[in-house]
C-alpha cells in the first residue's frame, strides 16, 4: 500500500545483521508485511566476519552456563531463550539445508566452515516469506505520534509502519554498518543509553617497547591475571591458580580483577589473543577506578619451588652454557633477549656463574611478567560493544520498549554482551526471533482495534 508520504509496511526492521535478519524473517513468517532497511550495500556483513569467517553460530553449553556468559544481564535473556534457543536455531538451520558441528569449547560452526552458507540460509528465508529489502538506505530517525510508532525517516523519504524493530547493532566493526546509529535514535525517543564500551578487544600497555620486542610471539597454556593497581606494587603471590571471569562460579578477591588460562600473544602496542580479549571488558571498567596491571604467569603448571629446582638442575647439568642458551629451553626464541634484559643478568654469563638471587629473579619473571595497561584499542576495533539501550526500559518477554508502543529491540543495540564462543550470535538470533514474533502479534492486535 502506498501513500503520498511514503511506503507502508506492518513491520519495519532497521538493520540487516544477524538479529535483524531473524526478526524480519520470523515476523513475515507470522503473516506481517515486512520491510527491512539496511544502510550498507549488503545484509549480514558481521555474520560473514564472525568466527574468522567460519561463523561461530552458538555453543553447546547448558542453559545455566550459557546465561552466565552474559554477566549480570544474562537473566534478561531467559524469555528469548525459552522461545528460541540453540536446539531451535540448529533445527532452523538444518531445515534450510545447513549442517552444523561442535568443536573445542562447545563452539558450533557450519560443517562447511563458510559463513556465506549461513547468510544464504537467511536470504532464502526472507525471500520465501516475501520480506522487502532496501539496501543503501540509512534510517535517520523514528517517527512517533501519541507515544506510538508511525514509521521511520531515511535520507530521502519516509516509510510508514505499525511496528519498528531496531536491530542496528553496536558500535564495533563500523565497516559492517554498526556505527551506533541505534543509540542516537533510541536516545531521541527518551531511552537511556548505558555508555558503550569496547569488549573483546586487545590492550595497549605502557611498556610498548617491551611488547614490540616480542611482537608476534604466541603463547599457549599461560595465565594472565588483571589486578587493580600498578604492576610494580602487585604481590605476584596473589595470582590465583583458578579461572575468574564470566561464566565462573568463584569470584575474585581484590585486587584481582579477572584471571584467565589459555592462549595470548604480544603485539606492537601490547597484548592480544583469546585470554586477553576475555579479560578486556573487566579491564575497561577497572581503568575507570584507577591503574590496572596484568601479570602473566608463563609457567602456571609449575610452582616457584618446582621452577627453582628445575632451573638449578639445568644450570648444574649445563654449567658451561650461557644463560640465554639455558632460557632457550623455557621460552620462544624472540622472548629470550627481552626476558634476560628484564632480569638484569648479563646474557653472556655462564650458567655456573648464576647465583641464587639471580635464579630467584628468573623464577619471579617466569611467574609474573608485568605490564601496566594504558587503554584498549578503540571501540571500533573491538569485536563486541558492551553497553547500549538500557534493559530496564525493554520488556524482556516481548523485546518491546517500555516507553514507545510498537518499538522493539534485538541484538547488540541493547545492553547485552558475552564472551566469545557463539554466545553473542545466539543472543542476536534469539532476541531477533522474539522481537519478530511479538511485533507481528502487535500489528495483528492493532489492526483488530482499527
Amino acid at each position: 500500500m502506498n501513500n503520498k508520504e511514503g511506503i507502508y509496511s506492518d513491520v519495519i526492521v532497521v538493520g540487516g545483521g544477524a538479529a535483524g535478519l531473524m526478526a524480519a524473517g520470523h515476523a513475515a513468517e507470522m503473516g506481517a508485511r515486512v520491510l527491512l532497511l539496511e544502510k550498507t550495500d549488503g545484509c549480514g556483513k558481521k555474520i560473514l566476519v564472525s568466527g574468522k569467517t567460519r561463523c561461530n553460530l552458538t555453543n553447546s553449553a547448558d542453559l545455566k552456563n550459557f546465561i552466565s556468559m552474559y554477566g549480570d544481564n544474562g537473566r534478561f535473556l531467559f524469555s528469548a531463550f525459552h522461545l528460541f534457543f540453540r536446539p531451535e536455531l540448529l533445527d532452523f538451520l538444518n531445515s534450510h539445508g545447513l549442517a552444523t558441528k561442535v568443536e573445542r569449547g562447545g563452539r558450533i560452526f557450519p560443517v562447511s566452515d563458510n559463513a556465506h552458507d549461513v547468510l544464504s540460509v537467511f536470504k532464502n528465508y526472507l525471500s520465501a516469506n516475501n520480506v522487502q529489502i532496501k539496501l543503501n538506505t540509512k534510517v535517520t530517525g523514528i517517527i512517533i505520534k501519541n507515544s506510538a510508532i508511525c514509521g521511520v525517516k531515511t535520507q530521502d523519504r519516509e516509510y510508514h509502519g505499525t511496528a519498528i524493530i531496531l536491530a542496528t547493532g553496536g558500535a564495533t566493526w563500523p565497516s559492517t554498518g554498526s556505527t551506533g546509529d541505534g543509540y542516537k535514535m533510541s536516545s531521541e525517543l527518551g531511552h537511556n543509553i548505558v555508555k558503550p564500551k569496547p569488549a573483546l578487544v586487545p590492550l595497549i600497555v605502557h611498556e610498548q617497547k617491551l611488547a614490540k620486542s616480542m611482537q608476534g610471539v604466541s603463547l599457549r597454556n599461560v595465565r594472565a591475571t588483571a589486578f587493580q593497581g600498578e604492576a610494580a606494587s602487585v604481590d605476584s603471590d596473589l595470582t590465583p591458580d583458578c579461572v575468574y571471569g564470566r561464566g565462573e562460579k568463584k569470584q575474585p578477591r581484590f585486587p584481582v580483577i579477572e584471571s584467565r588460562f589459555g592462549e595470548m600473544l604480544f603485539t606492537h602496542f601490547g597484548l592480544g589473543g583469546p585470554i586477553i580479549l576475555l579479560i578486556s571488558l573487566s579491564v575497561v571498567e577497572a581503568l575507570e577506578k584507577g591503574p590496572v596491571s596484568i601479570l602473566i604467569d608463563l609457567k602456571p603448571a609449575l610452582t616457584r619451588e618446582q621452577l627453582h629446582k628445575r632451573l638449578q638442575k639445568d644450570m648444574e647439568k649445563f654449567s658451561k652454557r650461557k644463560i640465554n642458551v639455558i632460557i632457550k629451553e623455557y621460552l620462544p626464541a624472540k622472548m629470550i633477549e627481552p626476558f634476560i634484559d628484564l632480569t638484569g643478568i648479563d646474557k653472556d654469563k655462564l650458567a655456573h656463574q648464576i647465583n641464587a638471587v639471580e635464579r630467584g629473579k628468573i623464577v619471579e619473571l617466569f611467574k609474573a611478567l608485568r605490564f601496566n595497561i594504558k587503554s584498549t584499542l578503540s571501540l571500533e576495533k573491538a569485536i563486541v560493544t558492551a553497553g547500549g539501550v538500557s534493559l530496564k526500559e525493554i520488556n524482556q518477554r516481548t523485546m518491546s520498549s517500555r516507553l514507545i508502543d510498537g518499538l522493539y529491540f534485538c541484538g547488540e543495540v541493547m545492553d547485552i554482551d558475552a564472551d566469545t564462543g557463539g554466545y553473542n550470535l545466539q543472543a542476536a538470533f534469539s532476541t531477533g526471533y522474539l522481537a519478530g514474533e511479538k511485533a507481528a502479534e502487535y500489528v495483528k492486535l492493532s489492526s483488530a482495534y482499527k
Side-chain angles (χ1 to χ4, degrees):
M1 164 178 163
N2 292 329
N3 63 34
K4 62 182 180 180
E5 294 183 356
I7 300 173
Y8 176 83
S9 298
D10 293 326
V11 176
I12 300 173
V13 179
V14 183
L21 289 169
M22 181 62 84
H26 189 49
E29 190 175 33
M30 292 192 63
R33 289 169 292 180
V34 178
L35 170 65
L36 189 155
L37 302 176
E38 166 58 39
K39 67 185 284 189
T40 72
D41 59 0
C43 292
K45 290 193 172 184
K46 192 172 282 189
I47 288 177
L48 295 180
V49 298
S50 68
K52 296 181 179 178
T53 72
R54 294 172 61 219
C55 194
N56 184 186
L57 294 157
T58 183
N59 196 284
S60 64
D62 60 46
L63 181 59
K64 182 180 179 181
N65 287 321
F66 215 106
I67 289 289
S68 71
M69 300 309 289
Y70 303 89
D72 293 340
N73 288 347
R75 290 168 292 182
F76 177 84
L77 293 170
F78 271 119
S79 293
F81 283 174
H82 180 73
L83 178 66
F84 189 85
F85 189 44
R86 177 185 58 248
E88 290 77 18
L89 173 63
L90 298 183
D91 285 346
F92 165 78
L93 295 170
N94 187 60
S95 70
H96 287 82
L98 187 77
T100 57
K101 60 181 177 179
V102 183
E103 294 190 1
R104 181 172 57 89
R107 290 169 167 81
I108 297 178
F109 293 88
V111 168
S112 65
D113 288 328
N114 192 338
H116 285 276
D117 294 340
V118 179
L119 184 54
S120 292
V121 166
F122 282 97
K123 286 183 175 179
N124 293 336
Y125 181 45
L126 269 61
S127 177
N129 288 287
N130 300 310
V131 174
Q132 184 183 9
I133 301 173
K134 287 191 174 295
L135 303 177
N136 299 306
T137 305
K138 181 179 180 179
V139 173
T140 57
I142 296 173
I143 307 168
I144 61 170
K145 186 176 181 180
N146 298 324
S147 296
I149 287 297
C150 292
V152 299
K153 299 176 183 177
T154 69
Q155 64 267 45
D156 54 12
R157 69 187 310 165
E158 294 180 356
Y159 293 91
H160 291 236
T162 302
I164 289 172
I165 301 175
L166 207 55
T168 51
T172 58
W173 296 83
S175 61
T176 66
S178 297
T179 54
D181 299 347
Y183 305 146
K184 181 175 181 292
M185 286 184 268
S186 301
S187 179
E188 289 173 347
L189 297 178
H191 277 280
N192 286 303
I193 308 299
V194 177
K195 181 182 176 182
K197 302 171 184 174
L200 302 178
V201 63
L203 303 176
I204 300 172
V205 301
H206 283 286
E207 299 82 0
Q208 286 191 21
K209 185 177 179 181
L210 174 60
K212 190 173 183 179
S213 71
M214 300 183 287
Q215 180 180 350
V217 173
S218 180
L219 300 174
R220 300 178 66 182
N221 301 320
V222 298
R223 177 176 298 283
T225 303
F227 289 89
Q228 191 81 62
E230 295 182 356
S233 67
V234 172
D235 180 356
S236 60
D237 285 336
L238 296 176
T239 299
D241 57 3
C242 61
V243 174
Y244 290 118
R246 275 186 178 179
E248 302 299 325
K249 295 178 181 178
K250 295 182 179 179
Q251 295 297 315
R253 291 184 178 181
F254 186 86
V256 175
I257 299 167
E258 191 164 325
S259 187
R260 300 282 186 168
F261 175 85
E263 300 176 23
M264 62 158 288
L265 60 86
F266 296 103
T267 68
H268 67 283
F269 53 79
L271 311 175
I275 60 174
I276 298 300
L277 298 185
L278 292 177
I279 286 175
S280 61
L281 180 56
S282 294
V283 169
V284 169
E285 294 171 344
L287 281 169
E288 296 176 354
K289 303 173 186 176
V292 175
S293 56
I294 285 185
L295 272 58
I296 302 167
D297 185 346
L298 299 168
K299 300 293 176 184
L302 299 174
T303 65
R304 281 175 168 76
E305 185 180 359
Q306 289 170 328
L307 261 175
H308 266 292
K309 288 181 178 179
R310 179 178 166 184
L311 198 58
Q312 186 172 10
K313 183 180 178 181
D314 286 346
M315 287 181 174
E316 289 173 354
K317 184 177 180 180
F318 306 107
S319 62
K320 299 287 180 69
R321 291 183 180 179
K322 294 179 180 179
I323 183 60
N324 61 339
V325 178
I326 299 289
I327 299 299
K328 188 177 181 181
E329 300 301 317
Y330 293 77
L331 294 173
K334 198 172 183 179
M335 285 189 70
I336 295 171
E337 187 173 339
F339 182 90
I340 294 175
D341 285 345
L342 287 173
T343 67
I345 300 170
D346 185 346
K347 65 181 179 180
D348 293 323
K349 204 168 187 179
L350 300 181
H352 72 85
Q353 298 173 317
I354 303 295
N355 59 41
V357 173
E358 290 171 326
R359 275 201 310 275
K361 289 181 180 179
I362 295 171
V363 169
E364 173 62 21
L365 200 54
F366 274 135
K367 300 299 288 182
L369 180 58
R370 300 167 186 256
F371 289 92
N372 289 286
I373 306 305
K374 183 178 181 181
S375 65
T376 69
L377 289 185
S378 65
L379 180 58
E380 293 79 11
K381 298 289 179 64
I383 295 175
V384 172
T385 306
V389 178
S390 172
L391 301 184
K392 295 177 182 178
E393 298 164 359
I394 303 172
N395 185 330
Q396 68 182 58
R397 298 179 185 276
T398 62
M399 295 295 126
S400 62
S401 166
R402 296 186 184 276
L403 309 182
I404 308 294
D405 292 338
L407 177 62
Y408 296 79
F409 300 92
C410 59
E412 207 176 338
V413 71
M414 301 185 292
D415 180 23
I416 194 89
D417 67 277
D419 289 345
T420 57
Y423 304 102
N424 289 294
L425 265 184
Q426 180 67 63
F429 292 135
S430 296
T431 57
Y433 190 93
L434 178 56
E437 182 161 305
K438 295 305 178 182
E441 290 177 357
Y442 174 81
V443 168
K444 290 178 183 178
L445 191 61
S446 298
S447 299
Y449 284 98
K450 286 182 180 179

